[in-house]
């Protein structure tokens, strides 16, 4: 699978459906963290943290929509890698320059993870005071200064770098004065999700860069990963390597576990399938297939074509629902059988592509079926599907779900031309870190300082109100992030 020969800087545009998938993931992450605990059904939380205690139990197998949120984001990250790096290849960047860019991005995400965690309200103080909430909001402003892209300044935007520098200086000054349970600044104190993303940004990008012309080699990397994971359970040098946290240098141990651990590489099982889909999107974009042309083709083919697309949407959503219900209730063979039946019936909707984008959807679907069946066949292994410790079934089933949702978004946006229906998701997908941070460091402090939080908690004691609470908290975050995106106020991480 080779893309380099016909890449130009003008024909690589944003993939709106991919942005929508990323936006869905980040908003679902916010929603899952703001619904009421203890009172909702078990499928509204992580499968391994059931109500009412939410105590983690690694023995519980299952899959809820909450467990799918992080893999959706990882998959979208993987799919974006070919688009981002191909653009730089098209601009004539050398391989060494691209590698430096990859390492810089990993560093920025790592720095973001560490600084953010030091500015989280419950990290600053386990029992937040008014001062704590004000510090958290100040932290949001500082993060905006540090990582903001200041194109909104117009001809003055070239001075935006000074705002970034000023933000870093101010953040360092404030964090250096804070005490966290009697301890000051620690490199090990970081946001675990963002640290994983930093690692995947580096290793996923390098994996694609060096296998971009050889898909089989990229798939072969998954075989090496499986071998490393399985061998890490047996005493030997691989286990020592897999669990290493420091490098001995001149009699001292240089710790690196604060930024990298070998077991983070397991998430390449989601990133690499994402890069394969990203290659497909890149190939389609390079053919200059515009949404107006697609709409014209769809109209010329008539209502029968539209009906087929609607059936595809229904079947994709049905497969996702069957997987979530069946795997959570532990109806394993029934879920496998029903999923296979739906996949087989849906194949009739894809087997005769009539347009370029039809062919793209067919390729998506073929890969989705492959990862789904692989994940279902792995399900009995490792004690059933688990998010933590994550299993092979988890990686591949969630990758398939991501592909099926991407098919839905592609049809809605690129064929039916209803981008406006998903614009909120697209805006949040283009600016995900603002949405990720805005609740704990902006909305929550405001609710606490005004006393509104106490009133909301007192009036959301039923399951329905517990869900409404999550919606009421998530919607302002989504609108604020969309507003920033419209103003082109992006966070560069």
């Amino acid at each position: 699978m080779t893309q380099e020969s016909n890449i130009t800087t003008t024909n690589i545009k944003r993939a709106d459906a991919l942005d929508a998938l990323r936006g869905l993931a980040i908003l679902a992450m916010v929603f899952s963290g703001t619904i009421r605990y203890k009172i909702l059904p078990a499928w509204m939380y992580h499968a391994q943290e059931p109500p009412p205690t939410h105590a983690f139990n690694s023995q519980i197998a299952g899959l809820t929509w909450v467990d799918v949120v992080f893999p959706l984001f990882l998959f979208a990250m993987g799919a974006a890698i070919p688009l981002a790096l191909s653009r730089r290849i098209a601009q004539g960047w050398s391989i060494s320059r691209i590698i430096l860019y990859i390492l810089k991005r990993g560093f920025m995400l790592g720095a973001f993870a560490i600084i953010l965690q030091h500015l989280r309200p419950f990290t600053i103080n386990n029992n937040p005071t008014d001062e704590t909430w004000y510090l958290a909001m100040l932290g949001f402003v500082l993060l905006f200064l540090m990582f903001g892209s200041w194109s909104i300044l117009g001809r003055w935007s070239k001075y935006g770098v000074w705002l970034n520098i000023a933000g870093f200086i101010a953040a360092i000054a404030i964090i250096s004065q804070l005490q966290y349970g009697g301890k000051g600044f620690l490199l090990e104190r970081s946001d675990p999700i963002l640290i994983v993303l930093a690692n995947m940004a580096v290793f996923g990008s390098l994996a694609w860069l060096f296998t971009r012309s050889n898909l089989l080699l990229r798939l072969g990397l998954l075989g090496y990963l499986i071998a490393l994971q399985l061998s890490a359970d047996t005493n030997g040098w691989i286990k020592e390597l897999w669990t290493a946290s420091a490098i001995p240098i001149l009699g001292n141990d240089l710790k690196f576990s604060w930024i990298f651990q070998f077991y983070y590489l397991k998430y390449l099982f989601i990133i690499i399938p994402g890069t394969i889909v990203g290659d497909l999107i890149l190939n389609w974009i390079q053919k200059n297939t515009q949404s107006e042309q697609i709409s014209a083709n769809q109209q010329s083919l008539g209502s029968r074509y539209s009906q087929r697309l609607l059936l595809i949407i229904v079947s994709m959503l049905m497969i996702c629902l069957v997987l979530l219900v069946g795997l959570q209730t532990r109806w394993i063979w029934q879920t496998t059988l029903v999923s296979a039946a739906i996949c087989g019936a849906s194949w009739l909707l894809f087997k005769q592509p009539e347009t370029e984008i039809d062919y793209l959807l067919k390729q998506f679907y073929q890969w989705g079926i492959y990862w789904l069946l692989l994940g279902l066949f792995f399900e009995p292994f490792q004690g059933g599907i688990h998010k933590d410790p994550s299993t092979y079934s988890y990686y591949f089933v969630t990758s398939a779900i991501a592909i099926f949702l991407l098919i839905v978004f592609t049809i809605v946006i690129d064929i039916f031309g209803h981008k406006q229906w998903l614009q909120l998701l697209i805006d949040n997908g283009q600016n995900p870190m603002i949405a990720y941070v805005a609740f704990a460091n902006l909305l929550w402090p405001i609710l606490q300082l005004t006393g509104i939080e106490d009133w909301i908690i007192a009036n959301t004691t039923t399951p329905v109100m517990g869900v409404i609470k999550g919606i009421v908290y998530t919607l302002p975050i989504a609108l604020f992030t969309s507003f920033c995106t419209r103003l082109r106020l992006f966070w560069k991480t």
Side-chain angles (χ1 to χ4, degrees):
M1 187 176 292
T2 305
Q3 294 88 23
E4 290 177 278
S5 59
N6 60 346
I7 294 174
T8 68
T9 57
T10 58
N11 64 2
I12 301 179
K13 63 183 182 67
R14 291 201 70 95
D16 291 325
L18 191 58
D19 286 332
L21 181 66
R22 189 184 303 108
L24 174 66
I26 199 67
L27 291 181
M29 198 177 297
V30 175
F31 178 70
S32 68
T34 55
I35 55 177
R36 281 299 301 267
Y37 276 25
K38 300 182 179 181
I39 63 174
L40 301 180
W43 56 267
M44 287 294 289
Y45 308 103
H46 288 296
Q48 295 168 284
E49 297 177 0
T53 62
H54 296 290
F56 176 74
N57 185 347
S58 63
Q59 300 305 308
I60 297 177
L63 185 73
T64 69
W65 68 268
V66 185
D67 297 319
V68 177
V69 169
F70 186 48
L72 289 183
F73 195 92
L74 281 173
F75 187 91
M77 169 184 268
I81 288 172
L83 304 179
L85 296 188
S86 291
R87 187 177 297 113
R88 285 159 179 80
I89 292 173
Q91 292 169 352
W93 286 29
S94 65
I95 295 298
S96 59
R97 186 182 177 188
I98 292 175
I99 291 174
L100 287 176
Y101 163 78
I102 292 170
L103 295 176
K104 176 187 174 184
R105 189 181 178 213
F107 172 80
M108 291 295 286
L109 271 170
F112 186 80
I114 294 169
I115 294 171
L116 171 61
Q117 193 68 11
H118 282 82
L119 295 172
R120 291 287 200 190
F122 277 86
T123 305
I124 297 172
N125 190 340
N126 286 329
N127 298 296
T129 62
D130 285 356
E131 180 184 3
T132 306
W133 296 115
Y134 282 118
L135 275 173
M137 287 195 293
L138 176 59
F140 184 81
V141 174
L142 292 177
L143 289 167
F144 226 118
L145 289 173
M146 283 184 283
F147 297 98
S149 174
W150 298 101
S151 59
I152 193 175
L153 298 177
R155 62 191 181 93
W156 302 101
S157 60
K158 62 182 179 180
Y159 299 110
V161 65
W162 294 106
L163 292 176
N164 299 143
I165 293 172
F168 271 101
I169 293 173
I172 292 171
I174 291 173
I175 291 173
S176 66
Q177 298 302 311
L178 295 176
Q179 289 293 309
Y180 305 85
K183 297 181 180 179
F185 173 82
L186 292 174
L187 288 173
E188 292 80 5
R189 186 182 294 120
S190 60
D191 183 293
I193 290 178
L194 293 178
I195 288 294
V196 169
L197 293 180
N199 279 268
M200 291 303 96
V202 172
F203 291 100
S205 296
L206 292 175
W208 180 84
L209 183 64
F210 291 109
T211 65
R212 64 191 184 279
S213 300
N214 193 332
L215 176 58
L216 290 178
L217 179 58
R218 199 182 319 160
L219 288 170
L221 294 178
L222 298 181
Y224 289 127
L225 278 174
I226 290 175
L228 287 170
Q229 274 202 314
L230 294 178
S231 295
D233 293 331
T234 304
N235 290 333
W237 69 270
I238 291 181
K239 182 177 183 178
E240 292 179 5
L241 176 69
W242 200 253
T243 58
S245 60
I247 300 175
I249 298 179
L250 300 176
N252 296 310
D253 287 337
L254 178 64
K255 291 187 176 181
F256 57 77
S257 57
W258 58 274
I259 190 63
F260 169 74
Q261 297 186 48
F262 279 96
Y263 72 80
Y264 290 159
L265 297 178
K266 64 187 181 181
Y267 292 109
L268 288 173
F269 285 117
I270 300 173
I271 292 288
I272 287 179
T275 63
I276 295 172
V277 167
D279 282 335
L280 299 176
I281 296 173
L282 179 61
N283 286 334
W284 173 66
I285 289 176
Q286 287 170 355
K287 293 177 181 177
N288 291 313
T289 309
Q290 302 298 327
S291 59
E292 293 82 3
Q293 296 172 332
I294 297 165
S295 296
N297 289 335
Q298 181 259 323
Q299 291 172 6
S300 67
L301 291 168
S303 61
R304 185 177 178 182
Y305 182 63
S306 296
Q307 290 170 0
R308 181 168 69 84
L309 293 172
L310 288 173
L311 284 174
I312 289 175
I313 290 176
V314 171
S315 63
M316 295 301 97
L317 295 178
M318 189 182 298
I319 293 173
C320 294
L321 182 61
V322 166
L323 290 171
L324 291 176
V325 173
L327 293 176
Q328 178 63 12
T329 54
R330 309 307 299 146
W331 298 336
I332 306 305
W333 72 265
Q334 296 94 331
T335 301
T336 303
L337 186 62
V338 173
S339 297
I342 297 175
C343 288
S346 300
W347 175 250
L348 299 175
L349 302 172
F350 290 94
K351 70 174 186 176
Q352 292 182 335
E354 301 178 59
T355 65
E356 285 291 344
I357 198 166
D358 281 346
Y359 184 64
L360 174 68
L361 294 177
K362 180 180 178 180
Q363 291 177 302
F364 281 174
Y365 188 63
Q366 289 171 328
W367 279 108
I369 290 178
Y370 173 77
W371 298 120
L372 174 59
L373 293 180
L374 187 62
L376 290 175
F377 292 158
F378 263 122
E379 211 286 336
F381 186 54
Q382 298 173 300
I385 192 167
H386 289 77
K387 177 182 179 293
D388 193 18
S390 48
T391 61
Y392 296 125
S393 179
Y394 177 72
Y395 307 134
F396 300 134
V397 169
T398 55
S399 293
I401 290 175
I403 292 175
F404 297 146
L405 291 176
L406 187 61
I407 289 173
V408 173
F409 291 154
T410 301
I411 292 173
V412 172
I413 295 172
D414 293 302
I415 300 182
F416 287 150
H418 294 309
K419 178 179 176 180
Q420 69 277 11
W421 291 1
L422 299 174
Q423 191 63 58
L424 190 64
L425 294 182
I426 293 170
D427 289 344
N428 279 263
Q430 292 179 359
N431 221 354
M433 290 300 104
I434 290 182
Y436 184 70
V437 175
F439 173 70
N441 284 77
L442 182 61
L443 180 59
W444 202 7
I446 292 173
L447 295 175
Q448 288 285 353
L449 291 170
T450 58
I452 297 176
E453 170 83 353
D454 294 335
W455 181 87
I456 291 176
I457 295 297
N459 289 277
T460 54
T461 56
T462 65
V464 171
M465 294 305 297
V467 172
I468 292 176
K469 171 182 176 285
I471 295 172
V472 169
Y473 281 20
T474 304
L475 187 57
I477 301 299
L479 293 173
F480 174 74
T481 304
S482 178
F483 176 73
C484 292
T485 301
R486 301 294 181 89
L487 292 179
R488 304 196 63 76
L489 287 171
F490 298 102
W491 283 11
K492 300 177 296 184
T493 55

